[in-house]
Amino acid sequence: MTFPSYDEVQAVRSKLKEVGYQYWLHSDLFTWQWWGLLIASILPWIIWGYLIKKEHRLHVFAFATSIGIISSILDVIGADLLLWEYPTKLFPMIPPLFPADLTVIPVTFSLAYYYGKKWRVYILYIFIVAFLFSYVIEPFCAWIQVYRPTNFPHWLSFIGFTLISLLVRWFLERILPIREQ
């Protein structure tokens, strides 16, 4: 059995990059789904800026950034493992679902963090938001063809959203100064 060389792998990647770009250029760019992804990349942060008081933004932004980094990493891993795919992309070269990973998910979960100052309230908010993302938003995104789960059930998304949100808050409470109530 022979295995491909590094140069052969790079040649296939180069071809895939060109095919992916041509698909994006002719099938994604300026479709209504593309415009929706563009709006979803900008609007949540504008809303976030209005809802979060200036004196609380550092803590809340640290939470949102942590969630965004973890979401991006897990999204790239899941897409590479073919657990899900994205028929429509905002940019051909950016990780799969940039609007969700770095805007919608971090902003929404950081609002739960901001308004759920007590752990009991925070856990309730996280369960609600994780449920909405897993059982409402993901199926909606599949319906409008910007997300396609291939081998990843919604209940696993729910558990992932919940655990990550709980762990990020727990971690940040240990490294950041105590936030005001």
Side-chain angles (χ1 to χ4, degrees):
M1 174 180 237
T2 61
F3 297 101
S5 69
Y6 177 78
D7 290 335
E8 291 170 324
V9 171
Q10 288 303 98
V12 170
R13 289 185 67 216
S14 178
K15 179 69 176 163
L16 180 61
K17 181 188 81 152
E18 181 57 31
V19 169
Y21 175 73
Q22 291 301 321
Y23 173 81
W24 175 81
L25 188 62
H26 299 288
S27 298
D28 289 348
L29 187 60
F30 303 128
T31 62
W32 68 269
Q33 293 100 328
W34 184 88
W35 286 107
L37 291 173
L38 181 65
I39 291 167
S41 297
I42 300 166
L43 186 60
W45 286 112
I46 295 170
I47 294 168
W48 186 91
Y50 282 110
L51 294 177
I52 307 298
K53 291 181 184 175
K54 193 176 271 189
E55 61 270 15
H56 297 282
R57 286 186 183 160
L58 181 61
H59 273 95
V60 180
F61 188 70
F63 180 89
T65 303
S66 300
I67 293 290
I69 290 168
I70 293 168
S71 293
S72 296
I73 291 168
L74 292 175
D75 198 16
V76 169
I77 291 170
D80 281 353
L81 293 174
L82 304 176
L83 298 175
W84 52 79
E85 51 196 47
Y86 299 103
T88 306
K89 292 172 79 173
L90 185 59
F91 300 111
M93 74 297 285
I94 301 278
L97 197 55
F98 167 78
D101 295 335
L102 297 177
T103 58
V104 178
I105 292 169
V107 166
T108 307
F109 280 91
S110 70
L111 290 173
Y113 174 75
Y114 177 67
Y115 290 108
K117 290 182 172 62
K118 302 233 185 270
W119 267 99
R120 186 179 324 155
V121 175
Y122 175 71
I123 291 170
L124 174 65
Y125 289 168
I126 289 304
F127 280 154
I128 292 168
V129 172
F131 179 86
L132 289 173
F133 269 95
S134 302
Y135 292 100
V136 178
I137 295 172
E138 283 183 4
F140 175 74
C141 288
W143 182 67
I144 64 169
Q145 300 176 351
V146 296
Y147 167 75
R148 185 182 307 150
T150 55
N151 196 20
F152 201 78
H154 296 299
W155 65 267
L156 260 174
S157 290
F158 176 80
I159 290 171
F161 283 130
T162 303
L163 288 177
I164 290 165
S165 301
L166 295 173
L167 289 171
V168 167
R169 177 175 172 157
W170 176 85
F171 178 73
L172 288 179
E173 285 186 351
R174 271 128 193 91
I175 65 167
L176 292 177
I178 296 174
R179 64 180 176 147
E180 299 173 18
Q181 295 294 327

